[in-house]
Amino acid sequence: MRMLNKHAGIIATGSYVPERTLTNEYFEKTVDTNNEWIISRTGIEERRAADENTATSDLATKAALNAMEKSGIKAEEIDLIIVATVTPDFGFPSTACIVQKNIGAVNAAAFDLEAACSGFMYGMTIADSFIRTGVYKKILVIGAETLSKIVDYTDRNTCILFGDGAGAVIMAEVEEGYGVLATHLGANGDAGHLLTLPAGGSRMPATEQTIKDRMHYVQMDGSEVFKFAIKIMGEAAEKALENCGLKKEDIDFLIPHQANTRIIESAVKRLKISKDKVFVNVNKYGNMSAASIAVALDEANEQKCLKDGDIVVLVGFGGGLTWGAGVIRWKNYGR
Ligand code: ACO
């Protein structure tokens, strides 16, 4: 239930993806796979990969500047930057601090958060709370990843799934009845082992052996994550709707995490929503983890899929395991 009289909404969106494209045909040459398998099991046709000189903050900065340019909001007006990522430039300083420097947001506090593919939903929820409590007025929430840096390109189970990109939103106070109506976040640490990056942290610092054992790359039990995803996408969306007294019949547009078309289809089935109300771009970008929902939201906005007054539901799941959903009554705040 909403306890405060301020209301937070998304007043601008932006995104950026690197130019280099890895097609399914590329993977046919590097691992034992084929275009038909990848498309039928995942819906992915191609994904983007940053070059060796490009880090997550570079993509995040471009997405942020894109949102600022489209909205006319100046760097000095931003008072908090949240970057959701599992591929920070460094252990520290945070990627958010690097973005703060790059865009010249001298009045902003800045921090990273890590909730894997649910990171953008966690970031949006935190920003919503800070705006409703009056702590901050204009918050830049960015989901940004260079998963190509942590994917094992010899492992066909994972390498075909992931891509690089960044999406950004600017959140601010909006009029009553619009903006974020409710969110729902969840986690199940018991199942964290299903999706991990084992080495490089304090549990398993980098050694010659960890490098030899390829422990600095993503490891995933794909079929277990798949089962979890199918269950949680619909459930999380319904919980967020419940939190603002709405039902699945009220959804005008759904922007799900872009991991796999079969996972998206199962959510669509459970929510009984027609396919033309669902945004899909996983075919172009693969799974960009924390960036997926943010990039999809910007593309949906740019393609004018979102109308004033629409009930827009965002929902995602990811490593942790984690999940998150948000319900927004959309309004276009113009350029
Ligand atoms: N090409 C050909 N065969 C492959 C490939 C490939 N690229 N990858 C795996 N296979 C094989 C496996 O080796 C396995 O073979 P085996 O049975 O001989 O051992 C078989 O295909 C597995 O087939 P399925 O069980 O039919 O595969 P499934 O339908 O489960 O699809 C997939 C696999 C796409 C990975 C699916 O499980 C999935 O999408 N899981 C969820 C992944 C996901 O969304 N992760 C989110 C990450 S979120 C984050 O926080 C980063």
Side-chain angles (χ1 to χ4, degrees), residues 31-34 37-38 41-42 86 115-118 147 156-158 160-162 195 218 220-226 229 257 259-260 262-263 287 289 317-319:
V31 290
D32 181 14
T33 191
N34 59 75
W37 192 96
I38 299 173
R41 296 301 213 287
T42 71
V86 293
C117 303
S118 314
L147 293 167
R156 70 173 183 173
N157 292 293
T158 52
I160 54 119
L161 298 174
F162 299 106
L195 188 49
V218 174
M220 180 178 74
D221 182 336
S223 64
E224 286 303 313
V225 174
F226 188 84
H257 173 48
N260 181 318
R262 288 188 296 148
I263 294 172
N287 181 349
S289 191
F317 67 93

